[in-house]
Amino acid sequence: MIKQEAFGVEPWGLPETALDLDVLAQSESVFALANGHIGWRGTLDEGEPHGLPGSYLNGFYEARPLPYAEPEYGLPESGQTIINVTNGKLIRLFVDDEPFDVRYGQLRSHQRRLDFRAGVLTRQADWVSRAGAQARISSTRLVSFTQRAVAAIYYEVEPLDGQRRIVVQSELLANEQLPGSDGDPRRAAVLKNVLQSEHTTAQDSTVLAVHKTAVSGLRIGAAMDHLVDAPTSVLVESHAHGNGGMVTASCVLTPGQRLTMTKFVAYGWSGERTVDAISAQVIAGLTGAKQSGWDGLLAEQRAYLDDFWGRADVAIDGDEEVQQAVRFALFHVLQAGARAESRAIPAKGLTGPGYDGHAFWDTETFVLPILTVTAPEAAASALRWRHSTLPTARQRAKQLGFEGAAFPWRTISGAECSGYWPAGLAAFHINADIADAAARYVEMTGDEQFEQHEGMDLLTDTARLWRSLGHHDAPGRFHIDGVTGPDEYSAIADNNVYTNLMAQQNLIAAADAAEKYPDRARELGISPEESADWRDAASAMVIPYDEALGVHSQAEAFTRHQVWDFEHTPADDYPLMLSHPYVDLYRKQVVKQADLVLAMHTRGDAFTAEEKSRNFDYYEALTVRDSSLSACTQSVIATEVGQLDLAFDYLGEAALMDLLDLEHNTRDGVHIASLAGTWIALVSGFGGLRHRAKIVTFRPRLPEGIARLAFNIEVRGRRLQVEVTRSTARYLLAKGDPLEIVHYDKSLKLTAGQQQQRSIAPIPPRQRPQQPAGREPAHRRNGTSAS
Amino acid sequence: MIKQEAFGVEPWGLPETALDLDVLAQSESVFALANGHIGWRGTLDEGEPHGLPGSYLNGFYEARPLPYAEPEYGLPESGQTIINVTNGKLIRLFVDDEPFDVRYGQLRSHQRRLDFRAGVLTRQADWVSRAGAQARISSTRLVSFTQRAVAAIYYEVEPLDGQRRIVVQSELLANEQLPGSDGDPRRAAVLKNVLQSEHTTAQDSTVLAVHKTAVSGLRIGAAMDHLVDAPTSVLVESHAHGNGGMVTASCVLTPGQRLTMTKFVAYGWSGERTVDAISAQVIAGLTGAKQSGWDGLLAEQRAYLDDFWGRADVAIDGDEEVQQAVRFALFHVLQAGARAESRAIPAKGLTGPGYDGHAFWDTETFVLPILTVTAPEAAASALRWRHSTLPTARQRAKQLGFEGAAFPWRTISGAECSGYWPAGLAAFHINADIADAAARYVEMTGDEQFEQHEGMDLLTDTARLWRSLGHHDAPGRFHIDGVTGPDEYSAIADNNVYTNLMAQQNLIAAADAAEKYPDRARELGISPEESADWRDAASAMVIPYDEALGVHSQAEAFTRHQVWDFEHTPADDYPLMLSHPYVDLYRKQVVKQADLVLAMHTRGDAFTAEEKSRNFDYYEALTVRDSSLSACTQSVIATEVGQLDLAFDYLGEAALMDLLDLEHNTRDGVHIASLAGTWIALVSGFGGLRHRAKIVTFRPRLPEGIARLAFNIEVRGRRLQVEVTRSTARYLLAKGDPLEIVHYDKSLKLTAGQQQQRSIAPIPPRQRPQQPAGREPAHRRNGTSAS
């Protein structure tokens, strides 16, 4: 766990005041810079020591065989794993021949800071070598949001104690030595020498390297160029080798004199283009960056972020930690999705190799709800990526004997990479999650082009999947049997409520789209019989409900199963899947992550307030939160049922997941969906934002710990500003045509520039529900969480 | 598929009249010789060509890693695979320097015959070499039932067309080259050079070789000695090498003169004993064999089998093919179990590497019912092997978080080797199957020593497992959730009827034993509270029944699932698991093998006649028999519900499974349990044998195709002879104290030597139930099966 003291609290940045080598890998994830296309982990400039070096390009992977003890029909034979590409971050320093390495000599001070508005990672170090030479090093690193192929570093060094020979060596390095894997299934497989050299050159201050992966056959180009400046004469030389090359600058400086190096790096990759084309492409990227220059890149970056924060910022009074955390979260969500441009948004973004760099349902269910209302183009781009994988998903459905499309549980390119089907393939809900994200995007943006084409394709093929997965029983009810819901501590169950409700919505949305766009329906071969069949299945959908207990059953028979013996489960046993077999978890009432409770968020219309309240209490007692995708949803529903303190506690957990390394795997990358959950807990939770049938509704309500919450969303091209206090909500349409919204069931017509204020009725305190013994969230009080 | 014509039909042997190289591997399985300790596949004496060479020692395996695409808690990291040990069968022949190889020159005739009464495989070949030399070769091979470490071959060669130099070369050869695996999951992993040489010597006509496996660390010794005889001078030499050695005999013969070689082979293995001890052990085995001499070994073999057939034979009038098949089956069952002596009886016996040489529940459920009443000592020995693995099974239960013992789904040594838990670990019924076999053995033999010790240990630990696997619901009913029954096309279901009924019986048997043996109960820590708890769970056991359909539901919700679309399933899709994913099979009503129908056999007392009839019809329409463990059970219940023609068809399928290679994998070894099923279909089916509470009951009834059925069983030391015709049953107690039996619900007291005859009432014809389209069993008429 990262000690909370490691990071200072400030509203627009994440400062680190000292270097703790024990949590180096975690800090590399937290300080990672990315733009959705390039990802650079926050390693030290000089490369070593490191936790887990990492430079990533979205979609760039190597294939690896998936082994099975007992082969089965339909399991993928080959998986995909994100790989550490050519490292362009390296700037090594030698002071009088001694390498700058924080492990040797004396590190007098060391500060880093991630700046959410500037979009840069800065670093300052005062170091004394073992020979006694003192130097001050500072660097600023950015991965450009505006030039997606480009990253850059401004590096500065000054001797503090006398005349010193300063040598700065910038490298471009493929096939870095990686630390070994410790066997954690969530850790990406370590691949050695995965990049085969095709072409490297060094000329003046430029180095270019093109490599190719052996099995996936993807080609990557990386190039760097440098501006070196010093008040004395500087010798600059460059060298190339099979893994890349280096540019070395040497000079002699006295205190007050500084050597500065601006390093421009460009990346490109392709599965098709030649060595020549890739080389030209990265040289072009480099030229663009040099034309902007360092100051230009900085300015573009800030302008891009000013625009983003103007649209997306969430402001909080009363909890500085959460204030910082939600901006940290938004910054990382933006970094993951900003320029993905027809590539996936992986679960860890481009901040680490966790989950092999795969994208899951997280994207559609947790990340896209934010991007849809804060950066709609990024949301559209992510959905276009899914759409581009439709042929693969159709083929997969066919292979499995189903109609329509079966999207992969985890993937980089669109091919299924899950090797354990009960918690992969059987989690068919991902298909409805994708349909839901597409429909939500259309509702919130009004993008009819997308709706008619990508949207309708996605809705149709997923509806066809559901129709073929489910069946009518003798009395005509529609069942979807043998599936796994979001809760991975149950599997292969009949009529999972979340799945069935999401499938129901999916089927209706597809039928509605076919009605709205008859020409496209004909094109897609949707007959009136077929869409009637969809509506029929949707209306006859079985939703298990336990009459005796008066709660919904997460799936058929779930509430009849034995309750897990939480009382006798030691704290060390969590997460349970690492100390108990699935055969035991599956048979019992124990919930890894919100499932029925998530259904009450995504399909809140399907439950009465009374049902929500009873269900929430029931599932609280069973939910252990062994997944990072739970606290935010529990926070949202806790708010809705009037459990504001509890909601605030869950907000704290979601918000601090990575900053406090609550799941002990932030080293492999930050949890993009859980970070997104911070926004969800605030905006959908305390802000009470929902949308249905194009109407945006609010039921805002703040917990004790938050005095004021302000956020913006974009709805069909209009910017809506919402400001909530404990007693009132103010709505302002910043621009655009009038917009109808709903505040606590009352309709409200907003016209641009005219703020409207509504009161929020207080609610009576309710008894706090029980969580499993030892799994209560840390109490959040006075701006900190403590158990 | 082996062409039926390949084998001739005769009552006491299996003759092959010509050599078909296309089915060589299948014939090697069918002609395999074994005694439960040593197994020799029926390869040609000269070793090549071969389908799948194989020499096995029961329990001798190598460990191999079990890989997973996604690691999980509780999955075994290492598996076990039976290995091809030192080959002692090889006798190569050279005629005027030309090697005898059936692929070259001209094979004028070639006959082989497996003799069920002599217990030998004989072979005669007339061969013309490419150089025109003619020779007649004959050999007789046996694996001794009486000297379990010994096998022997009598080999004879004679030139037919003039003076020829005859060289006969006998080999002992470890690490034979094996053909590659074709990726069928059921095929054993091919392990290369698995035996590491520790010691080999050759002296006079004796060769000795000791090897060790690298990972499992098991040591094997093999030795051979020879008697060579010829009317002219013979030079005999021997050589040793790392993989073994050879003895070469050379002479010049003219037509009418024969060289004979008697080859004695002895094997021994141990995980503990030294090279010296193992060497001495196999030399001792060899000396014993030589003392008996070839004629002595033949005589012992015949005497052993005379005794066996006297106890076990099943005689049939009216169907010569089935007559042959049931004796073939009994012979292989005996070969698998005769001298296993505290080792497992693997699913393929010692006839091939199929299923990695693992033992499953087959042994207890299908093989032991025969051995218990025909070779009780072999049954006791198999149960003692299970008992010897109790410590491992207790440890496994503990690792998984359960009480008592969890026996492995598949194993050689007792450690779990299954790498797919939904159809392995979750098939907990194996624990009740073991308890059932132990209880049946005690009932049928009256072996109180076993009952008090091994029996009670097994019952207690399995009862404890069931108690911890299941739980009471609010109204007090006892559920066992999330398990897999015998039908592997369903998994992780609640309250599987077969499992629950078997567990119920297991719990009661354990409580009864604790009551009967209070001292042992104290020793095992069984308090009165605990055994009351077992009885309570048993009496409250949930047995799902579908009121609307009026049938039992194989497991909770099964009958509500969608019925598999048999109509549109092409014939090539079978077996379905090779062309459809489990995610689809599990969600639908499609039955791989008898499950509910098996429950009606093993727990017939739990169903009314009406229920049996309705259930049988219902499950017939769903059962595709993609397992070899189905037809025999369907035959038994078909008989019980009066579907005699159908029962006869299923008998044909069970009986001819390996002789006709119906599942296309006889090459990997014969299906011991399916062979045992032939006996079950005849004796429990048409003979109507059941036993309950120590009473043996009969409801005999013959189909059109069988005029007379006669069989013997041993009950508590007495031999009971039963002879059934269409209208009457005759019972004769051959010896021993009087015995009470039941014929069609009427009690009958038998005294030794006095035959009693009872009539069998005719039954009205019933409408034949439907099977899934294309999965009807072949109609058996006039002694053949044809589809």
Side-chain angles (χ1 to χ4, degrees):
Chain A
M1 195 184 288
I2 296 177
K3 294 174 211 127
Q4 190 164 1
E5 306 80 50
F7 300 116
V9 177
E10 52 175 79
W12 286 103
L14 184 70
E16 180 198 58
T17 53
L19 190 64
D20 181 353
L21 295 183
D22 289 342
V23 295
L24 199 56
Q26 289 90 324
S27 76
E28 289 164 1
S29 298
V30 164
F31 285 144
L33 293 178
N35 62 8
H37 180 64
I38 300 169
W40 271 2
R41 281 172 63 81
T43 42
L44 302 176
D45 299 295
E46 58 277 14
E48 296 174 31
H50 58 225
L52 208 56
S55 303
Y56 309 107
L57 289 185
N58 197 349
F60 195 83
Y61 67 89
E62 180 55 311
R64 64 176 177 103
L66 290 177
Y68 301 98
E70 301 187 15
E72 278 178 54
Y73 178 84
L75 292 179
E77 284 166 20
S78 171
Q80 300 169 346
T81 190
I82 193 172
I83 55 177
N84 181 30
V85 300
T86 317
N87 186 352
K89 291 173 286 185
L90 287 169
I91 299 183
R92 305 195 205 268
L93 167 68
F94 301 83
V95 180
D96 281 356
D97 295 337
E98 200 154 354
F100 171 44
D101 186 316
V102 298
R103 292 169 295 193
Y104 304 113
Q106 192 198 343
L107 192 63
R108 290 208 172 153
S109 76
H110 191 277
Q111 283 112 37
R112 291 190 286 181
R113 183 170 179 274
L114 182 64
D115 188 312
F116 309 144
R117 282 189 293 206
V120 297
L121 175 68
T122 54
R123 177 196 191 197
Q124 276 177 318
D126 273 12
W127 179 68
V128 185
S129 77
R130 280 190 293 196
Q134 295 180 29
R136 175 167 298 154
I137 302 101
S138 70
S139 72
T140 303
R141 183 189 287 178
L142 68 77
V143 172
S144 175
F145 283 114
T146 52
Q147 302 187 35
R148 80 163 194 176
V150 169
I153 302 167
Y154 182 81
Y155 192 89
E156 195 173 61
V157 56
E158 174 188 356
L160 297 181
D161 66 331
Q163 179 171 302
R164 299 288 177 186
R165 174 169 302 279
I166 301 291
V167 178
V168 173
Q169 196 172 47
S170 167
E171 269 192 271
L172 199 61
L173 183 63
N175 297 312
E176 286 175 287
Q177 271 190 25
L178 297 177
S181 165
D182 66 359
D184 184 329
R186 294 170 293 193
R187 186 78 57 82
V190 175
L191 293 160
K192 282 186 183 168
N193 296 319
V194 63
L195 294 173
Q196 302 177 340
S197 181
E198 292 198 311
H199 175 61
T200 58
T201 56
Q203 196 183 354
D204 301 332
S205 59
T206 301
V207 174
L208 167 72
V210 181
H211 290 80
K212 193 173 179 178
T213 56
V215 186
S216 60
L218 304 181
R219 179 170 286 136
I220 175 181
M224 62 176 185
D225 197 358
H226 306 77
L227 297 176
V228 179
D229 190 38
T232 63
S233 84
V234 187
L235 176 62
V236 178
E237 285 190 339
S238 62
H239 301 88
H241 53 71
N243 279 329
M246 64 191 76
V247 169
T248 311
S250 175
C251 66
V252 175
L253 299 178
T254 52
Q257 294 185 318
R258 292 175 188 177
L259 173 76
T260 63
M261 176 185 272
T262 310
K263 177 176 189 176
F264 300 98
V265 181
Y267 286 102
W269 74 267
S270 169
E272 309 283 342
R273 290 157 63 82
T274 60
V275 173
D276 292 335
I278 290 281
S279 299
Q281 176 178 338
V282 293
I283 293 294
L286 216 46
T287 307
K290 286 188 287 184
Q291 195 198 3
S292 297
W294 174 251
D295 290 338
L297 286 175
L298 277 183
E300 291 171 14
Q301 189 84 337
R302 184 171 289 270
Y304 185 94
L305 283 163
D306 282 349
D307 177 58
F308 173 70
W309 291 116
R311 281 178 284 123
D313 187 33
V314 176
I316 292 162
D317 288 354
D319 194 320
E320 292 178 358
E321 244 181 51
V322 169
Q323 173 64 81
Q324 178 187 42
V326 68
R327 289 192 177 127
F328 172 78
L330 280 164
F331 184 74
H332 267 296
V333 168
L334 180 72
Q335 289 205 126
R339 304 294 306 269
E341 286 159 23
S342 77
R343 296 284 160 196
I345 300 179
K348 297 279 194 177
L350 297 171
T351 69
Y355 301 113
D356 275 336
H358 294 160
F360 297 74
W361 68 302
D362 311 23
T363 307
E364 278 80 3
T365 303
F366 294 89
V367 181
L368 294 198
I370 307 186
L371 293 180
T372 297
V373 295
T374 60
E377 260 316 309
S381 156
L383 289 165
R384 279 194 202 99
W385 169 72
R386 276 291 183 200
H387 182 263
S388 75
T389 68
L390 247 184
T392 308
R394 285 194 188 116
Q395 211 172 6
R396 176 85 177 135
K398 192 169 179 185
Q399 180 200 16
L400 300 170
F402 304 128
E403 303 292 318
F407 285 97
W409 180 243
R410 50 191 303 171
T411 190
I412 293 177
S413 76
E416 179 64 89
C417 295
S418 163
Y420 176 61
W421 72 261
L425 170 61
F428 287 106
H429 66 81
I430 187 173
N431 298 286
D433 302 333
I434 291 168
D436 181 44
R440 185 194 308 113
Y441 169 79
V442 169
E443 280 189 22
M444 298 303 273
T445 63
D447 182 346
E448 296 205 344
Q449 271 306 103
F450 179 93
E451 182 181 25
Q452 278 187 60
H453 296 98
E454 293 91 341
M456 198 158 155
D457 288 345
L458 289 169
L459 288 175
T460 302
D461 272 313
T462 48
R464 284 176 171 158
L465 176 76
W466 291 118
R467 186 60 192 84
S468 79
L469 276 178
H471 70 106
H472 290 280
D473 64 11
R477 291 167 308 184
F478 192 77
H479 299 261
I480 302 173
D481 295 328
V483 306
T484 302
D487 166 25
E488 293 184 335
Y489 287 169
S490 286
I492 315 181
D494 295 347
N495 294 316
N496 171 263
V497 171
Y498 175 84
T499 305
N500 284 21
L501 285 175
M502 295 300 287
Q504 181 181 55
Q505 174 177 278
N506 192 160
L507 288 159
I508 293 169
D512 286 351
E515 194 180 335
K516 183 169 177 187
Y517 298 108
D519 290 349
R520 282 242 64 214
R522 264 190 300 279
E523 223 175 279
L524 292 167
I526 308 167
S527 68
E529 292 301 328
E530 184 174 19
S531 61
D533 208 29
W534 293 342
R535 289 193 197 278
D536 174 38
S539 72
M541 191 71 72
V542 170
I543 307 300
Y545 184 80
D546 186 321
E547 295 287 348
L549 294 172
V551 297
H552 282 85
S553 187
Q554 177 176 300
E556 216 82 71
F558 179 83
T559 50
R560 208 265 303 132
H561 287 168
Q562 189 170 16
V563 173
W564 187 265
D565 184 2
F566 297 109
E567 206 61 47
H568 295 100
T569 303
D572 283 354
D573 278 15
Y574 293 94
L576 296 176
M577 79 261 195
L578 297 185
S579 54
H580 294 268
Y582 279 128
V583 73
D584 204 25
L585 292 164
Y586 287 177
R587 71 175 62 229
K588 290 184 178 157
Q589 290 193 64
V590 50
V591 176
K592 185 182 181 192
Q593 64 208 102
D595 187 308
L596 192 280
V597 169
L598 179 61
M600 297 198 298
H601 179 201
T602 59
R603 283 298 315 276
D605 60 305
F607 301 85
T608 67
E610 167 68 16
E611 283 171 352
K612 282 177 185 162
S613 189
R614 290 184 61 93
N615 286 342
F616 182 73
D617 284 1
Y618 186 83
Y619 287 95
E620 273 297 283
L622 302 172
T623 305
V624 295
R625 300 194 313 290
D626 282 348
S627 161
S628 64
L629 297 182
S630 198
C632 62
T633 303
Q634 285 169 272
S635 183
V636 169
I637 301 301
T639 305
E640 185 166 351
V641 302
Q643 295 285 358
L644 297 176
D645 285 351
L646 181 58
F648 193 46
D649 295 343
Y650 282 134
L651 166 66
E653 185 171 304
L656 301 171
M657 188 69 68
D658 286 314
L659 291 175
L660 296 187
D661 195 16
L662 296 179
E663 293 220 329
H664 312 295
N665 59 1
T666 297
R667 55 171 287 127
D668 299 328
V670 299
H671 299 76
I672 298 298
S674 178
L675 290 167
T678 312
W679 183 94
I680 293 174
L682 284 167
V683 175
S684 296
F686 298 125
L689 166 68
R690 301 284 189 284
H691 68 96
R692 182 138 301 271
K694 293 191 184 166
I695 304 291
V696 179
T697 70
F698 297 90
R699 301 176 72 85
R701 189 178 285 160
L702 296 187
E704 285 291 319
I706 298 181
R708 174 182 160 272
L709 167 70
F711 58 89
N712 302 333
I713 61 169
E714 273 197 35
V715 185
R716 291 188 287 285
R718 308 169 183 80
R719 184 171 307 170
L720 175 62
Q721 298 175 351
V722 181
E723 190 182 8
V724 184
T725 65
R726 296 232 178 76
S727 56
T728 60
R730 283 186 283 272
Y731 302 95
L732 173 64
L733 188 62
K735 56 170 189 174
D737 293 337
L739 180 72
E740 189 189 332
I741 65 162
V742 172
H743 171 88
Y744 278 99
D745 304 329
K746 293 255 170 58
S747 188
L748 195 61
K749 194 155 185 180
L750 301 177
T751 48
Q754 294 190 322
Q755 193 179 62
Q756 299 221 36
Q757 179 170 323
R758 290 290 182 278
S759 66
I760 298 170
I763 49 162
R766 292 191 56 223
Q767 194 181 341
R768 195 177 164 105
Q770 289 283 318
Q771 287 79 35
R775 303 303 287 173
E776 304 82 4
H779 264 303
R780 185 150 193 89
R781 286 232 176 84
N782 308 320
T784 60
S785 294
S787 45
Chain B
M1 193 185 285
I2 296 179
K3 294 174 209 127
Q4 192 165 3
E5 306 81 49
F7 300 116
V9 177
E10 51 174 80
W12 285 102
L14 184 70
E16 180 197 59
T17 54
L19 191 64
D20 180 352
L21 294 184
D22 289 342
V23 295
L24 200 56
Q26 290 90 323
S27 76
E28 288 163 1
S29 298
V30 164
F31 285 144
L33 293 178
N35 61 9
H37 179 65
I38 300 169
W40 271 3
R41 282 171 64 80
T43 42
L44 301 176
D45 299 297
E46 58 276 16
E48 294 173 35
H50 57 225
L52 207 57
S55 304
Y56 308 108
L57 289 185
N58 196 348
F60 195 82
Y61 66 89
E62 181 54 311
R64 63 176 178 105
L66 289 177
Y68 302 97
E70 301 188 15
E72 279 179 53
Y73 178 83
L75 293 180
E77 285 166 20
S78 171
Q80 301 168 346
T81 190
I82 193 172
I83 55 175
N84 181 29
V85 299
T86 316
N87 186 352
K89 291 174 286 184
L90 287 169
I91 299 181
R92 306 197 205 266
L93 167 67
F94 301 83
V95 180
D96 281 355
D97 294 336
E98 202 155 351
F100 170 43
D101 186 316
V102 297
R103 293 169 295 193
Y104 304 113
Q106 190 198 344
L107 192 63
R108 290 207 168 153
S109 75
H110 192 277
Q111 284 112 36
R112 291 190 286 180
R113 183 170 181 276
L114 181 64
D115 188 313
F116 308 145
R117 283 190 293 206
V120 296
L121 176 67
T122 54
R123 177 196 192 197
Q124 276 176 320
D126 273 14
W127 179 69
V128 185
S129 76
R130 281 190 293 195
Q134 295 179 28
R136 174 166 297 154
I137 302 101
S138 70
S139 72
T140 303
R141 185 189 285 178
L142 68 77
V143 172
S144 175
F145 283 115
T146 53
Q147 301 187 36
R148 81 166 194 175
V150 169
I153 302 167
Y154 183 81
Y155 191 89
E156 196 175 61
V157 55
E158 174 189 356
L160 297 181
D161 66 331
Q163 180 172 299
R164 299 291 176 186
R165 175 170 299 279
I166 300 292
V167 177
V168 172
Q169 198 171 47
S170 167
E171 267 191 271
L172 199 60
L173 183 62
N175 297 312
E176 286 175 288
Q177 270 189 28
L178 297 177
S181 165
D182 65 359
D184 182 330
R186 293 170 292 193
R187 185 79 55 83
V190 175
L191 293 160
K192 282 184 183 169
N193 295 322
V194 63
L195 294 173
Q196 301 178 336
S197 181
E198 292 199 312
H199 175 62
T200 58
T201 56
Q203 198 183 353
D204 302 331
S205 58
T206 302
V207 174
L208 168 72
V210 181
H211 289 80
K212 193 173 178 178
T213 56
V215 186
S216 60
L218 304 181
R219 178 169 286 135
I220 175 182
M224 62 176 184
D225 197 358
H226 305 76
L227 295 175
V228 179
D229 190 40
T232 62
S233 86
V234 188
L235 175 64
V236 178
E237 284 190 339
S238 61
H239 300 88
H241 53 70
N243 279 329
M246 63 191 78
V247 169
T248 310
S250 175
C251 65
V252 176
L253 299 179
T254 53
Q257 294 184 319
R258 293 175 187 175
L259 173 77
T260 63
M261 176 184 272
T262 310
K263 179 177 188 176
F264 300 98
V265 182
Y267 286 102
W269 75 266
S270 168
E272 308 283 341
R273 290 156 63 83
T274 60
V275 173
D276 292 334
I278 291 281
S279 300
Q281 176 179 339
V282 292
I283 292 296
L286 216 46
T287 306
K290 287 187 287 185
Q291 196 199 2
S292 297
W294 175 252
D295 290 337
L297 287 174
L298 277 184
E300 290 171 16
Q301 189 84 339
R302 185 171 288 270
Y304 185 94
L305 283 163
D306 282 349
D307 177 58
F308 173 70
W309 290 117
R311 281 178 284 123
D313 187 34
V314 176
I316 291 162
D317 287 355
D319 194 318
E320 291 178 359
E321 245 180 51
V322 170
Q323 172 66 80
Q324 178 188 43
V326 68
R327 287 190 179 130
F328 172 77
L330 279 163
F331 184 73
H332 267 297
V333 168
L334 179 71
Q335 288 206 127
R339 303 294 307 269
E341 287 159 20
S342 78
R343 296 285 159 195
I345 300 178
K348 297 279 194 177
L350 297 172
T351 68
Y355 300 114
D356 273 337
H358 293 160
F360 297 74
W361 67 302
D362 311 21
T363 307
E364 278 80 3
T365 303
F366 294 90
V367 180
L368 294 198
I370 307 187
L371 292 179
T372 297
V373 296
T374 59
E377 258 317 308
S381 155
L383 289 165
R384 278 193 204 99
W385 168 71
R386 275 292 183 197
H387 182 264
S388 76
T389 67
L390 247 183
T392 308
R394 285 193 188 117
Q395 211 171 5
R396 177 82 176 137
K398 192 168 180 183
Q399 180 199 16
L400 299 170
F402 304 129
E403 303 291 317
F407 285 97
W409 180 242
R410 52 191 302 171
T411 190
I412 293 177
S413 76
E416 179 64 89
C417 295
S418 164
Y420 176 61
W421 71 260
L425 170 60
F428 287 106
H429 67 79
I430 187 173
N431 297 286
D433 301 332
I434 291 167
D436 181 45
R440 184 195 308 111
Y441 169 79
V442 169
E443 279 188 23
M444 298 303 273
T445 62
D447 183 345
E448 296 205 341
Q449 271 306 104
F450 179 92
E451 182 181 25
Q452 278 187 59
H453 296 97
E454 293 90 342
M456 198 156 155
D457 288 346
L458 289 169
L459 288 175
T460 302
D461 271 313
T462 47
R464 284 176 171 158
L465 177 76
W466 291 118
R467 187 59 194 82
S468 78
L469 276 179
H471 70 104
H472 291 279
D473 65 11
R477 290 168 308 185
F478 192 77
H479 300 261
I480 301 173
D481 295 330
V483 305
T484 302
D487 166 25
E488 292 182 335
Y489 287 170
S490 285
I492 317 182
D494 296 346
N495 294 318
N496 170 264
V497 172
Y498 175 84
T499 304
N500 284 20
L501 285 175
M502 295 300 286
Q504 182 181 54
Q505 175 178 279
N506 191 161
L507 288 160
I508 292 168
D512 287 350
E515 193 180 336
K516 183 170 174 186
Y517 298 108
D519 291 349
R520 281 241 64 213
R522 264 191 298 280
E523 223 174 280
L524 293 167
I526 308 167
S527 68
E529 293 302 328
E530 184 173 19
S531 61
D533 208 29
W534 293 342
R535 289 193 198 279
D536 174 38
S539 71
M541 190 72 73
V542 170
I543 306 299
Y545 184 80
D546 186 321
E547 295 288 348
L549 294 172
V551 297
H552 282 85
S553 188
Q554 179 176 300
E556 216 83 71
F558 179 83
T559 51
R560 208 263 303 132
H561 287 169
Q562 189 170 16
V563 173
W564 187 266
D565 185 3
F566 298 109
E567 206 62 46
H568 297 101
T569 303
D572 283 355
D573 278 15
Y574 294 92
L576 296 176
M577 79 262 195
L578 297 185
S579 54
H580 294 268
Y582 279 128
V583 75
D584 204 25
L585 292 165
Y586 287 178
R587 71 175 60 229
K588 289 184 178 157
Q589 290 193 61
V590 51
V591 177
K592 184 183 181 192
Q593 63 207 102
D595 187 307
L596 192 279
V597 170
L598 180 61
M600 297 199 297
H601 179 200
T602 60
R603 283 298 314 276
D605 59 305
F607 301 85
T608 66
E610 167 68 15
E611 283 171 353
K612 281 178 186 163
S613 190
R614 290 185 61 93
N615 286 341
F616 182 72
D617 284 1
Y618 186 83
Y619 288 94
E620 273 297 283
L622 302 172
T623 304
V624 295
R625 301 195 312 293
D626 281 348
S627 159
S628 64
L629 297 181
S630 198
C632 62
T633 303
Q634 285 170 271
S635 183
V636 169
I637 302 301
T639 304
E640 186 165 350
V641 303
Q643 294 285 358
L644 298 176
D645 285 351
L646 181 59
F648 193 46
D649 294 344
Y650 282 135
L651 165 66
E653 185 171 303
L656 301 172
M657 188 69 69
D658 285 314
L659 291 175
L660 297 186
D661 194 17
L662 296 178
E663 295 220 329
H664 312 294
N665 59 1
T666 297
R667 55 171 287 126
D668 299 327
V670 298
H671 298 78
I672 298 297
S674 178
L675 289 168
T678 312
W679 183 94
I680 293 173
L682 284 166
V683 175
S684 296
F686 297 125
L689 167 68
R690 300 286 189 283
H691 68 94
R692 184 138 299 272
K694 293 191 182 167
I695 304 289
V696 178
T697 70
F698 296 90
R699 303 176 71 83
R701 190 177 285 159
L702 296 187
E704 286 291 318
I706 298 181
R708 175 182 159 272
L709 167 71
F711 58 89
N712 302 333
I713 61 168
E714 272 197 34
V715 185
R716 291 189 287 286
R718 308 170 184 80
R719 182 171 308 169
L720 174 62
Q721 298 176 351
V722 181
E723 192 182 6
V724 183
T725 64
R726 294 230 180 79
S727 56
T728 62
R730 283 187 283 273
Y731 301 95
L732 173 64
L733 188 64
K735 56 170 189 173
D737 294 336
L739 180 72
E740 190 189 330
I741 64 164
V742 172
H743 172 88
Y744 277 100
D745 303 329
K746 292 256 170 57
S747 187
L748 195 63
K749 194 155 185 180
L750 300 177
T751 49
Q754 295 189 323
Q755 192 179 63
Q756 300 220 34
Q757 179 169 323
R758 290 291 182 279
S759 64
I760 299 170
I763 49 160
R766 292 190 56 222
Q767 193 181 341
R768 195 176 162 107
Q770 289 284 318
Q771 287 80 35
R775 303 303 286 174
E776 305 82 5
H779 264 302
R780 188 152 190 87
R781 286 231 175 86
N782 307 322
T784 61
S785 294
S787 45

